[in-house]
Amino acid sequence: PKVQPCFAFAGRLQTTKGIYTLLNAFKLLIRKERLSSHPNLLIAGGSQDSVDPLNQLPRSEKLRTALKGIEHRVKFIGPQSQQQLAKLFNNAVATIVPSYYESSGMVAAEAQACGSPVIASKVGGLQDVVKHELTGLHVKHKNPAQLAEAMTILLHNPSYAKALGQRAAVYAQQEFNWSVLAYKMANLYKGAYYEEKIVLAGD
């Protein structure tokens, strides 16, 4: 059977991480894609108890409301190990980092290292971590229409998406300090960073 294309998100399930912008953008994408490619969205992150493992939906009422009409295309897979995340990034059409602000852009760096193109908000450190039209695409933050447009471009141009991903992997190996990143990522996904103040200091 043909594997359905999917987009990936990894991070805390919070407004400032752009989760609602992403869900709104994905709704726009699904409406346009009704007859063709049927993409899915995989969302990693949150704490163990913020996601219902049986139906892979969030427990938060606000998130469930935002998901209305696209539940069948979105899976919340909870916290993941680094290996699981690498696999997620590897298999995605693109990794989405729709944050309102971001100092270090850790997830974007990690995703690019796995050969995933990144669609990122043009804010803070993300502007340096993701190179527009070279390793991924920049979009305005809080702009679901522009995000949906960028997702559509990569969905319909697999060779372009692949080229971005390949350049992203090379760029990541050259540019990022992996000893620092690996330490931060390991802590982030072990769940040691669930305390908000620690997250903000380290993210």
Side-chain angles (χ1 to χ4, degrees):
K2 193 168 177 285
V3 179
Q4 286 177 318
C6 81
F7 290 93
F9 169 93
R12 297 191 312 287
L13 310 181
Q14 290 177 338
T15 305
T16 54
K17 286 292 177 192
I19 185 83
Y20 294 99
T21 304
L22 172 57
L23 293 174
N24 287 331
F26 193 66
K27 267 185 190 168
L28 295 173
L29 181 71
I30 290 296
R31 274 186 211 134
K32 276 201 295 203
E33 297 298 317
R34 202 154 266 166
L35 297 170
S36 54
S37 52
H38 299 310
N40 290 324
L41 174 62
L42 295 180
I43 293 180
S47 59
Q48 208 75 55
D49 55 6
S50 63
V51 174
D52 183 336
L54 292 175
N55 57 20
Q56 292 190 304
L57 291 172
R59 296 189 195 275
S60 145
E61 275 308 309
K62 194 178 169 194
L63 277 170
R64 280 178 178 257
T65 304
L67 274 171
K68 283 270 185 307
I70 52 171
E71 298 93 337
H72 60 305
R73 295 243 162 266
V74 184
K75 281 186 180 144
F76 282 73
I77 55 179
Q80 303 286 297
S81 69
Q82 257 192 291
Q83 284 76 13
Q84 290 168 316
L85 275 172
K87 193 174 172 199
L88 176 68
F89 296 148
N90 244 307
N91 294 329
V93 173
T95 301
I96 319 282
V97 186
S99 311
Y100 291 4
Y101 58 85
E102 196 74 64
S103 53
S104 63
M106 245 180 351
V107 169
E110 182 84 354
Q112 290 183 124
C114 295
S116 173
V118 173
I119 301 173
S121 299
K122 199 177 175 187
V123 296
L126 287 172
Q127 298 178 80
D128 302 318
V129 173
V130 178
K131 295 292 174 199
H132 183 56
E133 294 183 342
L134 190 72
T135 69
L137 298 173
H138 288 161
V139 293
K140 264 170 86 170
H141 73 304
K142 304 186 190 181
N143 191 323
Q146 211 178 83
L147 178 52
E149 190 52 46
M151 291 163 88
T152 304
I153 289 168
L154 296 190
L155 190 60
H156 290 291
N157 299 280
S159 57
Y160 179 49
K162 191 178 177 186
L164 289 177
Q166 286 169 341
R167 286 198 296 261
V170 173
Y171 176 71
Q173 293 306 337
Q174 290 168 347
E175 295 295 321
F176 305 133
N177 179 339
W178 287 106
S179 55
V180 173
L181 256 172
Y183 173 74
K184 282 186 171 179
M185 295 297 286
N187 280 327
L188 184 64
Y189 297 119
K190 259 192 243 149
Y193 273 36
Y194 285 152
E195 287 297 315
E196 187 57 24
K197 54 184 179 295
I198 304 177
V199 178
L200 287 172
D203 192 8

